[in-house]
Amino acid sequence: MQKAQRKGYVLDTHRLCNPAQTLAAVRPHLAGMGITRIANLTGLDRVGLPAVMVTRPNSRSVAVALGKGLTLEAAQASGVMEAIETWHAERITLPLRAASYLDLRQEALVADVERLPSVTGGSFDPHHPMLWIKGEDLASGQPHWLPYEMVDTDYTARPCGGQGAFPRTTNGLASGNSLAEATCHAICELIERDAITLWHHAPPGPRINPGTIEDLRCRAALERFSAAGLDAGVWNIASDTGVAAFHCMVCEAGSRPGHIGIGSGCHPDRAIALLRALTEAAQTRLTYISGARDDLDPDEFTAEASAERVQYVRALFDRSEPTARMQDCPTYSSPSFEDDLAWLLSRLGDAGIEQVLTVDLSRPGLGISVVRAVIPGLEAPHDDPDFIPGPRALSAAGAQA
């Protein structure tokens, strides 16, 4: 890891430097990565929380990345960095190794494949050769090999040298102004998706009482939804990791039809975690309004689908009263990403997570850090089409029964 540096931007997320500095550093590389446009979507909705789309037409995954924040520059930096990280993961140049799991583990440390998420129709064969990529286990500091198909995001073909046994998503892929910054973002994303999956497999619990939210930035974001005639509900979804995580849902007040917004956020600092959930909910509304994402299903824009989404959100509102207190949610604040990382590893360890694997995908000379994190034991996103619930999700569902 690089020498610890103080965070220079802490408004709506934490970064080493402010959005203008981040954009200035990466702008010379955008054309080379195929990024052709950064478009402001904010004015298409009446909420007013900034959101942008970033287009990369020759992408090997999705051609449109999205960004959000409390300022337009923050949203632009968010969207651009998302496009940059997927570009890196589509074009991995690191050495790979072909071997069966059983052979590889005889001479090297390997990911705990039994705790990795499974997928529908997939079956892992420990005797069958496949491609592996070397990463580092941050929990032990030792090099470990992990399945290449969980790191690569070139979705134009079947997984290269893989078995199709593990999820192929961008979950746990993150970029930043430093390796520590990118690593913290990647780990928080994995914790967030695990927390959402657990929440969906158990009763929703009470919503956060907005009157207990003291952070002025969060209150201002919620007031924007209210002024736009929208109802917003926030749930504390922090899991046994003890890292702050929230889920936010937004829909038209009353029973009026319209686009919904769904957002989630995870961060050591609970105010930042909530801000990320709120701004993502606004971004989701704009995603539907603009139709910007090339992975949106046309069926989602039918009147029936829209009505079903609104009914789903309103039912959640009706089933959970706003009685939870923001002050009861976990929080941690530090001046550096190195401190955050140490705290995150400690929290994961206390939750029984034994490996935290990362692969540094950064390209020399670009000055941009990109990390893919894989954490055996955490659940995959519940809304992946090939999702299979793992032990944690099954346990949550069992507790509900």
Side-chain angles (χ1 to χ4, degrees):
M1 284 291 176
Q2 302 169 0
K3 183 180 178 181
Q5 295 176 279
R6 292 186 67 87
K7 300 170 184 175
Y9 180 79
V10 294
L11 178 60
D12 43 15
T13 187
H14 286 186
R15 290 203 178 273
L16 202 59
C17 55
N18 66 47
Q21 293 170 313
T22 298
L23 289 168
V26 303
R27 197 174 296 279
H29 308 297
L30 300 188
M33 296 179 185
I35 296 173
T36 61
R37 185 184 182 206
I38 305 171
N40 183 4
L41 301 178
T42 313
L44 298 179
D45 197 6
R46 59 186 188 273
V47 176
L49 287 170
V52 305
M53 59 178 282
V54 179
T55 55
R56 193 165 54 92
N58 290 326
S59 167
R60 299 174 187 176
S61 51
V62 293
V64 174
L66 298 166
K68 74 276 187 185
L70 291 182
T71 68
L72 181 57
E73 276 190 327
Q76 291 170 334
S78 169
V80 165
M81 295 301 273
E82 180 176 295
I84 286 173
E85 65 202 32
T86 50
W87 180 89
H88 278 74
E90 292 168 358
R91 295 164 172 81
I92 296 174
T93 58
L94 297 173
L96 306 177
R97 183 168 179 177
S100 72
Y101 168 74
L102 292 178
D103 286 343
L104 186 56
R105 74 173 186 175
Q106 296 299 317
E107 54 184 277
L109 297 171
V110 188
D112 185 353
V113 294
E114 292 184 357
R115 300 189 73 185
L116 292 176
S118 302
V119 295
T120 303
S123 178
F124 176 68
D125 184 351
H127 300 275
H128 188 73
M130 57 186 287
L131 287 180
W132 303 82
I133 188 168
K134 185 187 287 187
E136 179 186 2
D137 176 17
L138 300 183
S140 68
Q142 298 293 316
H144 278 62
W145 292 86
L146 56 156
Y148 179 61
E149 65 188 65
M150 292 194 72
V151 180
D152 166 54
T153 62
D154 183 352
Y155 303 147
T156 59
R158 290 181 56 81
C160 177
Q163 300 183 22
F166 305 108
R168 298 187 73 205
T169 70
T170 58
N171 187 26
L173 178 65
S175 56
N177 297 284
S178 72
L179 191 60
E181 177 185 316
T183 302
C184 287
H185 288 317
I187 291 173
C188 283
E189 182 169 88
L190 289 168
I191 294 173
E192 172 190 323
R193 303 288 169 74
D194 170 82
I196 297 171
T197 295
L198 299 183
W199 184 79
H200 275 277
H201 280 76
R207 285 177 277 145
I208 296 290
N209 179 347
T212 67
I213 298 174
E214 299 173 344
D215 184 85
L216 296 180
R217 298 162 298 180
C218 295
R219 293 180 68 88
L222 284 167
E223 287 167 4
R224 282 185 175 271
F225 289 125
S226 179
L230 301 171
D231 288 338
V234 176
W235 287 262
N236 171 18
I237 62 170
S239 69
D240 56 343
T241 64
V243 182
F246 297 95
H247 199 50
C248 175
M249 293 194 179
V250 175
C251 68
E252 300 286 345
S255 57
R256 292 180 297 171
H259 294 292
I260 66 168
I262 299 178
S264 55
C266 174
H267 194 275
D269 185 324
R270 66 186 175 209
I272 297 298
L274 179 53
L275 277 169
R276 293 182 65 81
L278 295 172
T279 54
E280 188 171 272
Q283 173 187 280
T284 303
R285 268 180 59 89
L286 280 163
T287 303
Y288 280 114
I289 291 169
S290 66
R293 287 280 291 217
D294 48 316
D295 57 346
L296 286 174
D297 190 326
D299 290 341
E300 294 187 61
F301 288 87
T302 64
E304 293 79 9
S306 178
E308 286 179 5
R309 288 195 295 269
V310 172
Q311 186 178 28
Y312 167 71
V313 175
R314 296 243 55 105
L316 278 174
F317 282 16
D318 293 341
R319 288 164 51 197
S320 54
E321 294 295 323
T323 58
R325 290 166 20 99
M326 183 70 172
Q327 291 80 4
D328 295 331
C329 303
T331 192
Y332 172 80
S333 182
S334 83
S336 74
F337 289 105
E338 286 75 13
D339 290 339
D340 281 1
L341 181 55
W343 183 81
L344 288 168
L345 294 176
S346 175
R347 300 306 308 136
L348 287 166
D350 289 348
I353 300 299
E354 299 175 355
Q355 293 182 340
V356 180
L357 308 175
T358 61
V359 180
D360 183 358
L361 302 178
S362 312
R363 293 289 190 95
L366 295 184
I368 305 166
S369 294
V370 177
V371 169
R372 163 72 86 165
V374 174
I375 304 180
L378 294 187
E379 294 286 339
H382 75 284
D383 52 357
D384 284 350
D386 54 5
F387 170 75
I388 294 178
R392 288 166 62 80
L394 292 174
S395 177
Q400 175 182 8

